[in-house]
């Protein structure tokens, strides 16, 4: 029997139904599908996929276990490297990481590694009765600042080594971007909660409602803890700096998604969110797709992705773009927003539409020469402006790191764009203080943040073991 | 969970509470704010800190019942708990180099103006306070202001107590009569702060205003609290809440503050509990 050239198709909720609910879009492989997909793995000797994984999961080994029907064993293999497999299986950009290296992918579609990872994690979460409480074995306390992907990965790794880990979270709920940013339909919050429960069983403590840099400073943490890991993540949203950004109906993606996800504004909560009819989302990354698809589910009739470059340059995960297209998101590509137009009724100051968005003026672009990052630069075409009729504009053009720690712990070295400067292992300019994730790199992915958290945990362990001798 | 240690009704729509939150109390300074949620699926609302007791570990908040969340908070009594209470957030008000100051408070804004007046008084500055309310029944904290002000002017819109009219009239009068204020602090409704700035800008008296826009996280993540200050986007939660009054785009802030007015009205109307409370 020859190798099946294509991935086994992921069952999904039908687009016409899912645009009316917040339930998860991708439904996951059943056992038979998972085993069939696992059989596509060549189990090649040089294992390039492992190199492609930022946290170096032993991919062929867990796939072999799936092939043999040992799903729990497959989970143990993944758990050696990853603290959050159910999350990564859902949100990693596998097509540019592990799957891009897959040998099978040279001739056919690569093995669906991400879908298999998700299958294993979900299988474990619904079947395992593993409630073993682990106890901390090393009499050293470590503080982790921020409970997003980098913080959770760092905390998990250190707890497994036996350290006493306390994670500090500014919000009222643990999980960082996994909770406030990534929508329910892409990453159910119950999955995140389960992963956090599993960290708690390893002895990790979580303290919410504490803003490091305000409630407690990093220096104060250093008095009580042997080491500190800073994973404060993405900070202030960037805005384009065009006219009209102060109008009502203009959101940063962070705000729009936080209202929807963290505050559950879609579920009749007490937090309001604008239920716009026509929505433009500026940007082309995963966050832009999340915002667009959330707006659709909140009842919008037309949702546009407005992006300066072409489909080929869209930075979002392929699967998210496909899902967005299936759901009817409209792509306004090669369009650069130049102004957000507001409604003004000069005759009636009390017209309650005054001050609200009524359109987004864009200019057409063509692609020019590649820039320093190798992406083709958009060049505006003169006199090509037109207005897209919208009542809501969501800007998803990135973030700059949170300023709170810089303001209160200036002795840590920061780069010109306010990112924390670290060495290869995640150590900052100060002994005992480590950092990782978006606070170091600027806006990036969940898995890169997890990789950084894990690397810093290893470095912290080395540092503290040395200090012991 | 955070315990409500005490509760006092200041007038028919304004309530003071002391919340046990020792970590916040330890760091709190005048001008900073907290964010709270009353219950598990409640919204996050920012309230400026109205006082603190570091030894007792309590933080004082004073709020006006303006919507569903503040109405819900007002139903809670001393001894009960609120879900979340985080802070202190934002930057403390800067008072260095000020030896003579005019504090202008409007309505519930007086609750925030008071700790600042006290701080300046303790620092040895000459404090003139002008506090304004709609009418006599809505006056709050008059005695407290008396104790920390070298000169106190109370104004009511309808003249039912103190001077009749807005706070801007006595302020302008004072400046015209030669009071050389190093700084004017205006804390209150947006329209009041805008009017104060209209006076002080003309007279070139440096003016700080305390902005209280809609917020969610309050830590510099969501960007919902943005304002246009001097032509640039500023975030009240991390850059403020104090700003140079001359630079703030008040008209934009006024429109933005009303973004969810309809939603709020609906929330209040739909809830029977709140209906009975508001009566």
């Amino acid at each position: 029997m020859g190798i099946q050239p294509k991935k086994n198709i992921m069952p999904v909720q039908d687009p016409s139904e899912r645009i009316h609910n917040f339930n998860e879009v991708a439904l996951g492989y059943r056992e038979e599908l998972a085993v069939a997909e696992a059989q596509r793995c060549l189990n090649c000797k040089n294992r390039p996929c492992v190199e492609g994984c930022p946290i170096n999961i032993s991919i062929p080994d867990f796939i072999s276990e799936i092939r043999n029907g040992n799903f729990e064993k497959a989970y143990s293999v993944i758990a050696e490297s990853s603290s959050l497999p159910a999350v990564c299986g859902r949100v990693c950009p596998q097509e540019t990481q592990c799957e891009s290296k897959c040998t099978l992918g040279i001739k056919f579609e690569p093995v669906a590694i991400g879908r298999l990872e998700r299958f294993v994690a979900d299988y474990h979460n619904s079947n395992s009765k593993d409630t073993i409480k682990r106890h901390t074995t090393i009499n050293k306390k470590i503080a982790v600042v921020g409970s997003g992907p980098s913080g959770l990965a760092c905390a998990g790794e250190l707890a497994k080594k036996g350290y006493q880990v306390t994670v500090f979270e500014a919000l009222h709920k643990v999980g960082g971007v996994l909770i406030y940013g990534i929508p329910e339909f892409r990453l159910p919050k119950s999955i995140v909660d389960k992963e956090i429960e599993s960290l708690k069983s390893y002895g990790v403590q979580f303290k919410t409602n504490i803003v490091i840099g305000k409630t407690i400073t990093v220096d104060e943490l250093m008095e009580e803890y042997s080491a500190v890991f800073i994973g404060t993540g993405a900070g202030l949203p960037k805005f384009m700096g065009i006219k009209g950004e102060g109008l009502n109906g203009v959101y940063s993606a962070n705000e729009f998604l936080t209202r929807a996800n963290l505050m559950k504004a879609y579920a009749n909560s007490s937090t309001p969110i604008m239920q716009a009819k026509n929505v433009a989302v500026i940007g082309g990354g995963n966050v832009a797709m999340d915002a667009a698809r959330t707006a659709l589910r909140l009842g919008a009739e037309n949702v546009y992705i407005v992006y300066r470059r072409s489909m080929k340059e869209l930075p979002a995960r392929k699967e998210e773009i496909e899902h967005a297209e299936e759901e009817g998101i409209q792509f306004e590509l090669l369009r650069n927003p130049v102004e957000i137009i507001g409604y003004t009724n000069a005759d009636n100051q009390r017209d309650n539409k005054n001050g609200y968005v009524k359109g987004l003026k864009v200019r057409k672009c063509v692609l020019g020469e590649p820039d320093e990052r190798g992406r083709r630069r958009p060049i505006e075409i003169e006199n090509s402006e037109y207005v897209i009729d919208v009542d809501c504009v969501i800007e998803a053009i990135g973030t700059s790191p949170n300023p709170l720690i810089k303001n209160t712990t200036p002795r840590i070295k920061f780069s010109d764009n306010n990112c924390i400067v670290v060495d290869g292992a995640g150590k900052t300019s100060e002994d005992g203080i480590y950092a990782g994730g978006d606070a170091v790199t600027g806006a990036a992915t969940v898995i890169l943040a997890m990789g950084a958290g894990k690397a810093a945990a290893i470095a912290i362990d080395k540092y503290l073991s040395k200090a012991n001798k | 969970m955070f315990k409500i240690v005490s509760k006092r009704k200041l007038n028919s729509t304004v309530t003071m509470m002391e919340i046990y939150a020792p970590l916040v109390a330890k760091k709190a300074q005048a001008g900073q704010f907290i964010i709270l949620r009353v219950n598990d699926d409640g919204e996050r609302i920012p309230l400026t800190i109205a006082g603190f007791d570091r030894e007792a570990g309590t933080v004082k908040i004073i709020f006006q019942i303006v919507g569903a969340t503040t109405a819900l908070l007002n139903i809670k009594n001393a001894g009960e708990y609120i879900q979340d209470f985080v802070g202190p957030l934002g930057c403390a008000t800067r008072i260095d180099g000020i030896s003579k100051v005019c504090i202008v408070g409007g309505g519930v804004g007086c609750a925030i103006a008071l700790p600042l007046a006290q701080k300046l008084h303790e620092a040895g500055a000459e404090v003139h306070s002008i506090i304004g309310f709609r009418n006599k029944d809505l006056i709050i904290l008059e005695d407290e202001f008396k104790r920390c002000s070298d000169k106190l002017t109370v104004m009511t819109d309808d003249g039912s107590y103190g001077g009749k009219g807005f706070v801007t009239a006595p302020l302008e009068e004072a400046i015209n009569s030669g009071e050389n204020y190093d700084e004017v602090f205006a804390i209150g409704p947006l329209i009041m702060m805008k009017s104060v700035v209209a006076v002080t800008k003309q007279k070139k008296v440096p003016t700080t205003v305390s902005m209280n826009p809609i917020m969610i996280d309050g830590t510099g993540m969501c960007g919902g609290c943005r304002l246009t200050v001097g032509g640039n986007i500023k975030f009240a939660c991390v850059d403020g809440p104090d700003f140079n009054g001359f630079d703030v785009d008040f008209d934009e802030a006024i429109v933005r503050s009303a973004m969810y007015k309809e939603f709020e009205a609906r929330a209040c109307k739909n809830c029977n509990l709140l209906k009975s409370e508001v009566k």
Side-chain angles (χ1 to χ4, degrees), chain B residues 34-90:
Chain B
I34 57 92
I35 284 202
L36 63 79
R37 283 200 316 156
V38 180
N39 52 26
D40 198 26
D41 41 45
E43 68 174 329
R44 293 170 68 95
I45 58 161
L47 290 172
T48 308
I49 293 168
F52 45 84
D53 184 333
R54 299 203 205 282
E55 269 167 37
T58 56
V59 176
K60 198 185 282 175
I61 51 170
I62 296 179
F63 58 92
Q64 185 162 25
I65 304 157
V66 289
T69 300
T70 39
L72 208 59
L73 178 60
N74 194 47
I75 292 166
K76 296 266 178 184
N77 287 309
E80 293 185 89
Y81 291 81
I82 56 175
Q83 186 71 32
D84 300 294
F85 193 87
V86 58
L89 301 167

Side-chain angles (χ1 to χ4, degrees), chain B residues 185-201:
Chain B
F185 289 93
I187 306 172
L190 288 166
I191 189 71
M192 180 214 94
M193 294 194 283
K194 183 186 171 184
S195 309
V196 166
V197 167
V199 170
T200 56
K201 198 170 186 175

Side-chain angles (χ1 to χ4, degrees), chain B residues 114-177:
Chain B
L114 179 67
L116 176 63
Q118 287 166 335
K119 191 174 173 180
L120 281 155
H121 177 72
E122 279 159 28
E126 183 180 340
V127 177
H128 294 187
S129 299
I130 302 171
I131 55 177
F133 306 90
R134 284 215 310 277
N135 60 50
K136 186 179 176 221
D137 296 336
L138 298 177
I139 292 172
I140 57 169
L141 305 170
E142 187 187 2
D143 291 339
E144 285 84 349
F145 267 102
K146 236 177 229 164
R147 281 198 286 275
C148 64
S149 306
D150 297 274
K151 199 173 151 190
L152 173 66
T153 311
V154 184
M155 300 293 290
T156 50
D157 295 0
D158 63 356
S160 51
Y161 187 89
K164 181 176 191 259
F166 300 122
V167 288
T168 40
L171 173 67
E172 193 164 8
E173 211 174 314
I175 297 171
N176 284 342
S177 72

Side-chain angles (χ1 to χ4, degrees), chain A residues 213-420:
Chain A
K214 283 288 173 191
T215 320
I216 302 173
T217 63
V218 171
D219 288 329
E220 286 168 316
L221 286 178
M222 285 302 285
E223 288 167 18
E224 201 187 328
Y225 295 87
S226 306
V228 173
F229 173 78
I230 302 170
T232 44
L236 293 169
K238 288 183 185 161
F239 288 89
M240 294 197 68
I242 58 177
K243 202 178 155 206
E245 288 176 318
L247 292 166
N248 282 347
V250 181
Y251 287 101
S252 73
N254 271 11
E255 181 186 358
F256 188 75
L257 291 170
T258 300
R259 285 179 183 273
N261 299 325
L262 175 72
M263 307 310 294
K264 299 267 177 282
Y266 64 86
N268 263 339
S269 86
S270 47
T271 299
I273 194 164
M274 195 176 173
Q275 281 165 346
K277 271 216 169 87
N278 301 296
V279 179
V281 179
I282 301 173
N286 290 322
V287 177
M289 300 302 145
D290 286 347
R293 297 170 68 198
T294 298
L296 194 69
R297 283 159 173 77
L298 285 168
E301 287 162 13
N302 293 292
V303 181
Y304 308 94
I305 290 278
V306 179
Y307 180 59
R308 295 188 301 165
R309 295 183 171 87
S310 73
M311 204 67 174
K312 213 176 116 206
E313 287 82 18
L314 270 181
R317 281 179 76 207
K318 204 170 135 231
E319 186 182 285
E320 307 314 326
I321 298 169
E322 284 168 7
H323 283 167
E325 283 185 308
E326 286 167 14
E327 290 170 10
I329 304 289
Q330 300 163 56
F331 287 77
E332 288 277 338
L333 302 168
L334 292 162
R335 300 288 182 268
N336 196 26
V338 288
E339 184 186 341
I340 303 169
I341 298 166
Y343 179 90
T344 5
N345 182 347
D347 299 331
N348 183 2
Q349 299 278 331
R350 293 186 174 275
D351 187 334
N352 58 16
K353 281 191 290 205
N354 280 337
Y356 282 77
V357 172
K358 75 163 196 186
L360 178 67
K361 188 189 277 183
V362 297
R363 202 169 282 155
K364 293 182 184 172
C365 299
V366 287
L367 288 180
E369 294 301 306
D371 61 14
E372 59 280 2
R373 287 165 67 191
R375 292 195 304 176
R376 291 183 64 190
R377 210 188 296 268
I379 301 167
E380 292 184 350
I381 304 170
E382 267 181 66
N383 302 321
S384 64
E385 287 156 16
Y386 66 102
V387 175
I388 308 172
D389 286 338
V390 290
D391 45 0
C392 176
V393 173
I394 302 167
E395 297 197 27
I397 56 166
T399 58
S400 55
N402 192 299
L404 295 183
I405 290 191
K406 187 181 177 188
N407 293 348
T408 47
T409 315
R411 67 188 174 103
I412 300 173
K413 202 174 156 197
F414 285 79
S415 71
D416 291 340
N417 48 9
N418 290 328
C419 292
I420 301 174

